[in-house]
Amino acid sequence: MRFGILGPLDIRTPDGSPVDPGGPRPRALLTLLLLDAGRSVSAERLTDGLYGERPPAGAANALQSQVSRLRGRLGVGIESTATGYRLAVSPDDVDAHLFERLAREGRRALSSGDHPRAAALLTEALGLWRGPALADLPGAHAPRTRLDELRLAAAQDRVDADLATGGAPGLVPELRELVAAHPLSERLYGQLMRALHATGRSAEALAVFDEARGVLARQLGADPSAELAALHVELLRGAEPARAPAVPAPLTPLVGRTAELARVHALLDDTRLVTLTGPGGTGKTRLALEAARERESGTEGARGGGPGSVCFVELAPLADGERVTYAVLGALGVRDGFHARGGDATERLLAALEGRELLLVLDNCEHVVDDAARVAGLLLGACPGVRVLATSREALGITGEALCPVPPLAAGPADRLFLERAAAVRPDLAGRAGTAEGRADLVRSLCAALDGLPLAIELAAARLRTLTLDELAARLDDRFRLLSRGDRTKAPRHRTLRAVVEWSWDLLDEEERELAARLTVFPAGATLDAVEAVCELPCPEDLLASLVEKSFVEAVGGRYRMLETIRAFCALRLAEAGDEDRLRAAHAAYFLRLAERGAPLLHGAGQLPWLDRLAADHGNLEAALRHLARTDPHAGLRMLAALSWYWRLRGHYGERASLASGLLSAVGPRPPEGLAEEYVLCLVNTIVGDGDDPAEPERLARADALLTSLEGPLRLPFLIVLWSLVGGPGRAMEERVRDQVGDHPWGRALLDLGRGFQELFAGRPRDSEAAFARALAAFRENGDRWGMANCLDPLAMFADWRGERARALELLDEGLAHVVELGAPEETGDLLHQRATVLLHGGALEDAADHFRRAEERARTVGVRDKVATARRGLGDVARLRGDTARARAYYEDALQACAANWFSVAETARVFTGLGRVALAESRPEEAADWFEQARVLAVDAPGVGELAEVAEALAAAASLPRDAARLLGAAAGIRGTLIEGHPDVVPVQEAARARLGTAAYGEAFAAGRREGARAVGRG
């Protein structure tokens, strides 16, 4: 049967026929039982629900009579229990419970980015409502309020899902109704603003913010939250509203932490650093996740504040405190791309968080507490919009830190947690032998023996898969006396969680213990193949399944992993067995084979699946490389070489630099026999390119000399790409490269790619375009998205130069699709910048500015200063062409500040100088303009290509007082670059003015003379 309480009580038989339970009292009684479907409801609670605080005499008999009549009318089981009654139906047969389940699943799908599934689940959940909840139970204020709050949260989640899938137009009327019903919900105001903005109604979106500000001021005496204010600023700037990073979605509800959760929110409102402290196993992480999730979704507190930006950083896997910065960068999605870096990891982190409003959750700080404190203190001091929520067994020790102790659970919540987790693995627990009162006493004593520690309780409940409650209680006696009376000189983990895990360990058989110990060599979990190969146990499927059932191992997405606490305990057992060195060697050998197998497949059709596969084992690959660096540096060189292209595609730059430096020290100053290419790659991977490391020039020289001496074909032709990115493109354009690349299809495509840049930098656009087209065809055949994107970018540029702007945008859109698949934000920013340039040349200044801003956002996200500079310079060009010279100058000066001291920034700095000269020219300061143009010319001479020099010539043409000089300089620009850019807004007015004053013939003569001079200047005349 199906039961509905989300509206008037509705009962349906399996064939859909309605059932009448009787008058008001039977309907109220059934509603009370349905609220706890499948669970016992006490007679006292049922009596209170039926009669209120003053039940009549004989209420118990009356209740029994009502239950009897209800049984007869419904034909379903209403069981008598020791304390009350239980309606024997599945929760999924009751619309309220089904609604809660669907809403939870929808929230998880939304958090994981699966917006279509989230929208479908949440729509289905909300469709179960037929009117006010519990309509037949007038006095049920608390449960009705709870269901109404869940309904509102589900509606808001569904709106977020619809916004993400392009459903904004139909949302505006619904959101206006919701705002009217809930005028203090800043999340709803923010959603309405996003929906209006997405439908082109930006002015109305801004008016909504003013409405929210007025309502909050009148009713609460408060200003809008920082998140809503930030959204308002973004819309004022015309930017796309930012999306908050996802917080890991909990799989189970939080139990017994209402007071602590409220305290966390209160502390975060008043201070910028809150640390959850307490012994291991008390649920600090779970509490932090819940607080972060609520702040992200805007559901915390009475105001229901708007959604905020949250980033969750898990520090437990770190073996080295120096990796804290990289862990935060990784969680923020900050990756390095294909260009030389400016700034170290700390600078990139500060750049990525500059100006952002963010709650940073640092989880499990205790084993890296000094470094975690250093990073937190740095961010709090430099980034005023950042707040930190940390979990640690000890305080970070920073001035201004607010501590929030997380104690063990009290008796009632501890019992409820055990029963909820037990029901998940043993649904028939309530119906087992013995009285309900006896089982309750047994659970209470069990949880008391477990000290109320959530992790210990959950591990114990999980054992009910194979043990009865009585058996479990009997086995706990000796073990948990140790837990409650442990050695006080030991660390908290050893006094508490160690005892819990040790008890679970004792329940394993010998083969299970052996595998559990061996699994600890996998810091990032493992596939079944990896377990079989490394752990040296044939057919381990059954043992793994047994460990999963006993909660020693988690199985997710075809991978097996241990909780960190269990892994730490089992690692001690592995060391005691004397197998650690052998297993770690086997682990390193397996992942060396995996890396070498995957390396060539990263250049073709298997690129995406192999990137994902290597990323899933990133921690294992790093651990294997560190092990080899200590024990077998030659094998370490092989592994580093095999991982180098994966690192470059996925942007693990900071990590690879430290790994490569350590390996280089272990190998020594000369390459081992047969590993020269690997040695060069090791040198290349140590180079950051920010000019701060005095040893880099020497390493560059060594790498250059070694690479020059290598005869082709190379076994690792991508070495040429990585070398050109740290040493400059000129180093990869020598004739020897052709022999070194060889006849491999990908290598030939790479050769044409390099040839395209060589011809471009030499000012031969026709030959350059032909080379890029050949490379694109070859990369298409190989299926290499990186190669295709890197060809489509310049091919779009050539189409733009010819004035074929629609074709240029088509090419760039294809390239953007490829880099999005690769997950490369820096390359996405590059293509957005090129798209902005095409739009600017076509006169679409508003769209161009929007693209430049989006490119800047990507650059800031990955902390790449050079790309921030290119975007700011682009915005300066837009402002200048609009006639706003003051704003243009500000943008150009910002760009100069962002430029780094490396080869890549030389050309960009020259372009900025040219822009500043054009600003001075527009403001009638010719002497200042001439000075900027001369500085740009000096830099352009040293730039890798001729394009910047052509732009200087075009700028000088604009400054020329004589039309013949202007025509000659425009010709020089065409001779240098190989062409003028059709329709360029800076060039067309100068061209037309000079032709009008000189006449067509004289203009053509002067232009041709200048073109010959320009060609000779770059060595083509």
Side-chain angles (χ1 to χ4, degrees), residues 292-378:
R293 184 188 63 79
E294 290 190 355
R295 295 186 81 85
E296 183 182 52
S297 61
T299 58
E300 86 283 3
R303 288 176 57 187
S309 185
V310 178
C311 179
F312 181 83
V313 187
E314 185 178 0
L315 301 182
L318 301 188
D320 183 347
E322 295 179 358
R323 304 289 310 288
V324 171
T325 302
Y326 298 119
V328 179
L329 287 169
L332 288 167
V334 176
R335 304 188 185 98
D336 290 24
F338 302 93
H339 299 290
R341 305 254 58 84
D344 62 11
T346 300
E347 291 173 340
R348 287 188 286 120
L349 180 56
L350 293 176
L353 292 177
E354 182 182 1
R356 290 183 62 179
E357 296 284 339
L358 180 77
L359 174 62
L360 187 66
V361 183
L362 299 179
D363 187 43
N364 290 308
C365 297
E366 54 268 1
H367 63 304
V368 289
V369 64
D370 291 337
D371 291 276
R374 174 182 54 79
V375 172
L378 176 67

Side-chain angles (χ1 to χ4, degrees), residues 115-417:
H115 301 118
R117 182 168 182 268
L121 287 167
L122 292 162
T123 299
E124 182 182 356
L126 292 165
L128 296 171
W129 285 74
R130 296 169 290 104
L134 312 181
D136 296 88
L137 198 61
H141 301 298
R144 183 180 296 110
T145 299
R146 175 179 172 276
L147 286 169
D148 288 341
E149 290 174 351
L150 291 174
R151 183 184 190 182
L152 175 60
Q156 292 171 320
D157 288 344
R158 200 220 73 229
V159 168
D160 278 343
D162 285 346
L163 284 171
T165 54
L171 292 174
V172 173
E174 177 188 0
L175 283 168
R176 288 202 184 277
E177 290 182 7
L178 287 170
V179 166
H182 306 279
L184 299 181
S185 173
E186 291 188 65
R187 184 182 183 189
L188 288 173
Y189 284 116
Q191 289 176 327
L192 179 55
M193 290 167 67
R194 291 177 187 275
L196 287 167
H197 176 79
T199 54
R201 298 155 69 180
S202 297
E204 291 181 58
L206 296 173
V208 169
F209 177 81
D210 293 333
E211 175 188 346
R213 180 165 51 192
V215 170
L216 294 171
R218 287 192 302 273
Q219 299 197 33
L220 297 178
D223 293 325
S225 66
E227 290 78 15
L228 193 63
L231 174 59
H232 179 242
V233 171
E234 289 176 21
L235 297 184
L236 280 173
R237 293 173 176 170
E240 284 295 325
R243 300 294 181 195
V247 175
L251 299 179
T252 54
L254 185 65
V255 175
R257 293 300 189 193
T258 304
E260 290 86 351
L261 190 58
R263 176 166 167 74
V264 171
H265 288 311
L267 289 173
L268 284 171
D269 287 340
D270 294 333
T271 187
R272 294 177 54 220
L273 171 61
V274 177
T275 303
L276 306 184
T277 61
T282 56
K284 299 182 295 295
T285 297
R286 183 65 182 82
L287 179 59
L289 280 172
E290 188 71 9
R293 184 188 63 79
E294 290 190 355
R295 295 186 81 85
E296 183 182 52
S297 61
T299 58
E300 86 283 3
R303 288 176 57 187
S309 185
V310 178
C311 179
F312 181 83
V313 187
E314 185 178 0
L315 301 182
L318 301 188
D320 183 347
E322 295 179 358
R323 304 289 310 288
V324 171
T325 302
Y326 298 119
V328 179
L329 287 169
L332 288 167
V334 176
R335 304 188 185 98
D336 290 24
F338 302 93
H339 299 290
R341 305 254 58 84
D344 62 11
T346 300
E347 291 173 340
R348 287 188 286 120
L349 180 56
L350 293 176
L353 292 177
E354 182 182 1
R356 290 183 62 179
E357 296 284 339
L358 180 77
L359 174 62
L360 187 66
V361 183
L362 299 179
D363 187 43
N364 290 308
C365 297
E366 54 268 1
H367 63 304
V368 289
V369 64
D370 291 337
D371 291 276
R374 174 182 54 79
V375 172
L378 176 67
L379 294 178
L380 292 168
C383 305
V386 172
R387 293 175 185 268
V388 176
L389 176 60
T391 73
S392 179
R393 295 184 192 179
E394 61 178 298
L396 299 190
I398 299 175
T399 301
E401 179 183 26
L403 300 181
C404 181
V406 182
L409 290 172
D415 297 352
R416 191 164 73 251
L417 175 63

Side-chain angles (χ1 to χ4, degrees), residues 408-409 446-454 456-457 480 483-485 495-496:
L409 290 172
L446 246 168
C447 292
L450 292 170
D451 292 332
L453 294 170
I457 290 169
F480 284 87
L483 179 68
S484 60
R485 302 191 311 188
R495 297 200 305 268
T496 56

Side-chain angles (χ1 to χ4, degrees), residues 89-142:
V89 298
S90 169
D92 266 2
D93 291 334
V94 183
D95 59 1
H97 300 296
L98 180 59
F99 161 76
E100 290 193 46
R101 180 174 67 78
L102 291 171
R104 283 195 303 270
E105 292 175 3
R107 166 63 65 85
R108 291 187 201 118
L110 182 65
S111 297
S112 65
D114 190 351
H115 301 118
R117 182 168 182 268
L121 287 167
L122 292 162
T123 299
E124 182 182 356
L126 292 165
L128 296 171
W129 285 74
R130 296 169 290 104
L134 312 181
D136 296 88
L137 198 61
H141 301 298

Side-chain angles (χ1 to χ4, degrees), residues 12-43:
R12 300 281 169 170
T13 62
D15 65 0
S17 301
V19 177
D20 182 10
R25 284 243 160 78
R27 298 174 75 86
L29 173 60
L30 180 57
T31 302
L32 285 166
L33 292 169
L34 287 169
L35 276 171
D36 283 282
R39 297 181 180 180
S40 178
V41 184
S42 69

